[in-house]
């Protein structure tokens, strides 16, 4: 597959950012967020007659103009990190990189028939210095970069590279849904789009004087070096219901889909780790990135930025991994992320709270603690991102296997948009991935990288 770059330009907001909005304050959560990018890719089928396939000028012009309008609503994304204050963004209307490209040698149907995960990077904007160093923050021309890639069949992919320190998955989803809404001309565009809340995140969780030594240690706790592979496993609705039944217990009789899959994958990843290490038991835990907007008081449902934190389970060391016991730990992990417990993160004792977490986890690392790190893109409405030619047929997260921060272990849960199924995109070291791919009990429920047309 060959990608031909047709054009590159910087798209700026359609209106200048007012003086009172030209400084966007970050909070303590942004201080803790690693210098990574969120990189979703949306694939769309061609729903037009063949005679209209090459008539793309109007659609391309609408995408650019609607993006410009969207940036007036998401003005920090068109700015740049302040050179004077690392905890703020200069909303100077610098703009975002916008790339147009074309695929040569493969149709959208052919690509989705047998998705090649290593090729996903081709649908993301890259400047000359990026190459394989996709997530090096030093290579970013703008804090948000976008690429529209057309297939000869008329299909399309829209990919984005969005700097994580500015936004989380919720804000990312809101950005793409707003852009799509304006592009298709719904509800009067900008004028009738609900305003974002740009202050609650930093007011609820203000910045702290975090020492660089602490930030380096915090980073090391959640990133691991080593050669890694990314794999995609699909759980259809029937499999998920069966897993929910398997993991349910007296204490958790009705686990959610995310709780059930987290529990099931935790068990089988732990088994894979043990087989690789050649031991029968090792301490393990799971972490989950949790959206705080509905959990804090008062709620901040329309807040821009990062309102997330890492939920951590208890550490277990069991020879036999019992699913009903594990799901209880997962449920407890999520329940602990409540308004009362989160108050400390926004208070005067925030640093002591964070240092305590780092110390507790750090003490366990020399004892071969295995951590399975989850994040969920479920319930973000990513399959509702309709620019006017229908909903996406496939939404994929790009996971960098050689990123600058050695983010070698993560599991992203993504809805598949068709049959209430969920995909698990798993990045783990080579040996553990090989073990998982040969786990018959796991594969009885999980389909490894099936055709997108198969569900």
């Amino acid at each position: 597959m060959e990608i031909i770059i047709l054009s590159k330009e910087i798209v700026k907001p359609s209106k200048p950012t007012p003086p009172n909005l030209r400084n966007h304050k970050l909070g303590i959560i942004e201080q803790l967020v690693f210098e990574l990018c969120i990189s979703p890719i949306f694939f769309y089928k061609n729903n037009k007659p063949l005679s209209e396939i090459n008539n793309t000028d109007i659609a391309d012009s609408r995408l650019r103009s609607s993006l410009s309008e969207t940036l007036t609503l998401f003005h920090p994304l068109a700015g740049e990190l302040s050179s004077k204050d690392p905890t703020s963004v200069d909303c100077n209307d610098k703009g975002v990189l916008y790339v147009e490209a074309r695929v040569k040698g493969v149709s959208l149907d052919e690509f989705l028939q047998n998705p090649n995960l290593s090729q996903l990077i081709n649908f993301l904007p890259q400047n000359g210095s990026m190459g394989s160093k996709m997530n090096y923050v030093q290579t970013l021309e703008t804090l948000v970069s976008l690429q529209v890639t057309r297939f000869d069949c008329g299909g399309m992919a829209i990919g984005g590279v969005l700097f994580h320190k500015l936004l989380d998955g919720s804000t990312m989803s809101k950005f793409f849904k707003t852009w799509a809404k304006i592009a298709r001309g719904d509800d009067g565009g900008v004028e009738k789009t609900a305003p974002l809340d740009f202050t609650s995140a930093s007011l609820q969780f203000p910045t702290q004087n975090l020492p660089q030594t602490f930030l380096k240690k915090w980073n090391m706790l959640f990133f691991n070096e080593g050669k890694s592979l990314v794999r995609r496993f699909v759980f259809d609705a029937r499999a998920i219901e069966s897993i929910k039944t398997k993991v349910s217990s007296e204490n958790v009789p009705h686990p959610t889909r995310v709780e059930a899959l987290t529990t099931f994958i935790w068990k089988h990843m732990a088994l894979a780790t043990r087989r690789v290490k050649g031991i029968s038991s090792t301490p393990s835990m799971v972490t989950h990135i949790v959206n705080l907007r509905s959990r804090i008081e008062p709620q901040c449902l329309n807040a821009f930025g990062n309102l997330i934190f890492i939920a951590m389970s208890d550490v277990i060391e069991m020879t036999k991994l019992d699913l009903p016991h594990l799901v209880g730990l997962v449920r407890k992990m999520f329940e602990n992320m409540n308004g009362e417990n989160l108050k400390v993160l926004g208070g005067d004792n925030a640093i002591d709270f964070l240092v305590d977490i780092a110390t507790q986890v750090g003490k366990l690392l020399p004892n071969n603690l295995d951590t399975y790190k989850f994040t969920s893109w479920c319930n973000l409405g990513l399959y509702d991102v309709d620019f006017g030619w229908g909903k996406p047929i496939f939404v994929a997260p790009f996971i960098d296997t050689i990123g600058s921060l050695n983010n070698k272990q993560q599991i992203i849960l993504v809805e598949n948009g068709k049959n209430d199924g969920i995909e698990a995109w798993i990045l783990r070291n080579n040996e553990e991935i090989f073990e998982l791919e040969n786990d018959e009990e796991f594969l009885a429920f999980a389909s490894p990288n099936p055709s997108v047309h198969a569900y």
Side-chain angles (χ1 to χ4, degrees):
M1 182 173 67
E2 181 183 357
I3 301 292
I4 301 171
I5 301 300
L6 303 177
S7 67
K8 285 186 177 183
E9 64 179 291
I10 299 295
V11 174
K12 298 177 180 291
S14 60
K15 297 178 182 178
T17 299
N20 63 310
L21 297 178
R22 293 186 71 87
N23 181 270
H24 175 67
K25 191 67 177 173
L26 304 177
I28 190 172
I29 295 175
E30 279 88 1
Q31 290 180 281
L32 298 172
V33 169
F34 314 114
E35 291 191 340
L36 297 173
C37 295
I38 303 176
S39 302
I41 307 169
F42 303 82
F43 292 88
Y44 297 89
K45 291 195 70 172
N46 170 54
N47 296 315
K48 297 179 180 179
L50 288 176
S51 61
E52 298 182 24
I53 285 179
N54 294 319
N55 185 20
T56 61
D57 290 347
I58 295 177
D60 289 340
S61 176
R62 186 197 310 163
L63 280 174
R64 285 191 297 271
S65 62
S66 58
L67 172 60
S68 181
E69 290 184 66
T70 304
L71 291 174
T72 65
L73 303 174
F74 292 79
H75 52 276
L77 301 186
E80 54 189 340
L81 295 179
S82 172
S83 58
K84 299 178 180 179
D85 179 5
T87 64
S88 67
V89 177
D90 288 335
C91 304
N92 57 9
D93 299 333
K94 177 181 179 180
V96 303
L97 176 66
Y98 183 81
V99 180
E100 293 179 344
R102 183 172 292 278
V103 179
K104 185 177 180 180
V106 64
S107 69
L108 175 60
D109 280 346
E110 289 170 335
F111 179 77
L112 297 181
Q113 181 65 36
N114 184 27
N116 185 338
L117 306 188
S118 67
Q119 294 287 343
L120 288 174
I121 191 173
N122 291 311
F123 301 104
L124 295 173
Q126 304 170 61
N127 61 41
S129 63
M130 276 185 173
S132 62
K133 299 178 180 180
M134 188 61 218
N135 280 350
Y136 277 176
V137 66
Q138 297 95 323
T139 66
L140 296 176
E141 289 186 25
T142 53
L143 296 177
V144 171
S145 302
L146 302 159
Q147 179 170 312
V148 177
T149 308
R150 293 190 179 275
F151 293 79
D152 287 340
C153 62
M156 179 189 297
I158 296 180
V161 178
L162 302 94
F163 191 39
H164 201 342
K165 272 192 176 293
L166 261 72
L167 78 174
D168 57 16
S170 177
T171 298
M172 174 272 289
S173 173
K174 194 177 293 291
F175 167 74
F176 278 102
K177 286 191 288 187
T178 302
W179 180 18
K181 178 181 178 181
I182 294 174
R184 66 177 186 264
D186 281 6
D187 298 331
V190 171
E191 287 74 14
K192 293 189 178 181
T193 301
L196 292 167
D197 173 2
F198 289 99
T199 59
S200 286
S202 59
L203 290 176
Q204 290 262 24
F205 303 105
T207 55
Q208 300 282 343
N209 185 22
L210 299 177
Q212 285 300 313
T213 53
F214 165 78
L215 291 172
K216 183 176 181 180
K217 181 178 181 181
W218 181 266
N219 173 47
M220 291 174 62
L221 292 177
F222 298 102
F223 287 87
N224 307 83
E225 296 185 15
K227 295 181 179 179
S228 298
L229 296 172
V230 61
R231 291 293 187 266
R232 165 181 170 255
F233 297 94
V234 176
F235 298 84
D236 63 26
R238 182 178 299 178
I240 293 173
E241 286 304 313
S242 297
I243 291 172
K244 288 171 68 174
T245 300
K246 284 175 67 71
V247 307
S248 62
S249 65
E250 183 177 348
N251 292 331
V252 188
H254 303 292
T256 67
R257 296 185 304 163
V258 169
E259 287 174 337
L261 282 182
T262 299
T263 301
F264 182 76
I265 295 170
W266 181 8
K267 172 184 175 178
H268 288 276
M269 286 304 311
L271 291 173
T273 302
R274 291 178 182 184
R275 286 191 288 267
V276 169
K277 291 184 175 181
I279 55 180
S280 60
S281 180
T282 182
S284 72
M285 65 182 290
V286 293
T287 67
H288 232 295
I289 302 298
V290 175
N291 185 355
L292 306 183
R293 287 168 175 79
S294 63
R295 295 174 179 267
I296 57 178
E297 300 171 2
Q299 294 184 347
C300 303
L301 301 181
N302 215 32
F304 174 93
N306 284 285
L307 266 178
I308 54 174
F309 198 64
I310 301 174
M312 291 179 282
S313 75
D314 292 339
V315 176
I316 64 164
E317 185 161 3
M318 301 168 59
T319 303
K320 181 180 179 181
L321 293 165
D322 179 63
L323 287 172
H325 176 68
L326 294 180
V327 78
L329 298 178
V330 171
R331 172 65 62 85
K332 177 183 175 184
M333 171 183 71
F334 285 123
E335 288 181 342
N336 284 339
M337 300 297 286
N338 57 60
E340 188 62 32
N341 289 341
L342 290 165
K343 285 181 180 178
V344 64
L345 189 59
D348 296 335
N349 297 321
I351 296 180
D352 292 339
F353 170 67
L354 294 170
V355 169
D356 184 55
I357 292 175
T359 302
Q360 290 183 41
V361 177
K363 286 180 179 178
L364 294 168
L365 291 179
N367 299 321
N368 294 315
L369 173 68
D370 293 305
T371 307
Y372 305 99
K373 308 172 185 72
F374 287 79
T375 188
S376 173
W377 286 12
C378 298
N379 301 316
L380 292 181
L382 297 178
Y383 277 88
D384 294 326
V385 178
D386 177 1
F387 288 89
W389 45 80
K391 295 183 178 182
I393 187 175
F394 184 46
V395 178
F398 172 74
I399 302 177
D400 185 11
T401 59
I402 52 175
S404 61
L405 289 179
N406 300 312
N407 187 12
K408 298 305 182 185
Q409 300 179 15
Q410 63 172 312
I411 301 159
I412 302 179
L413 303 179
V414 188
E415 291 166 316
N416 67 18
K418 287 192 175 181
N419 60 3
D420 293 326
I422 293 178
E423 303 188 0
W425 291 64
I426 300 178
L427 178 70
R428 198 75 186 181
N429 71 50
N430 297 12
E431 294 80 7
E432 290 174 317
I433 287 292
F434 293 147
E435 289 291 339
L436 191 65
E437 290 178 316
N438 289 283
D439 183 335
E440 293 184 2
E441 183 182 356
F442 181 78
L443 296 179
F445 299 90
S447 300
N449 199 30
S451 164
V452 173
H453 306 305
Y455 54 79

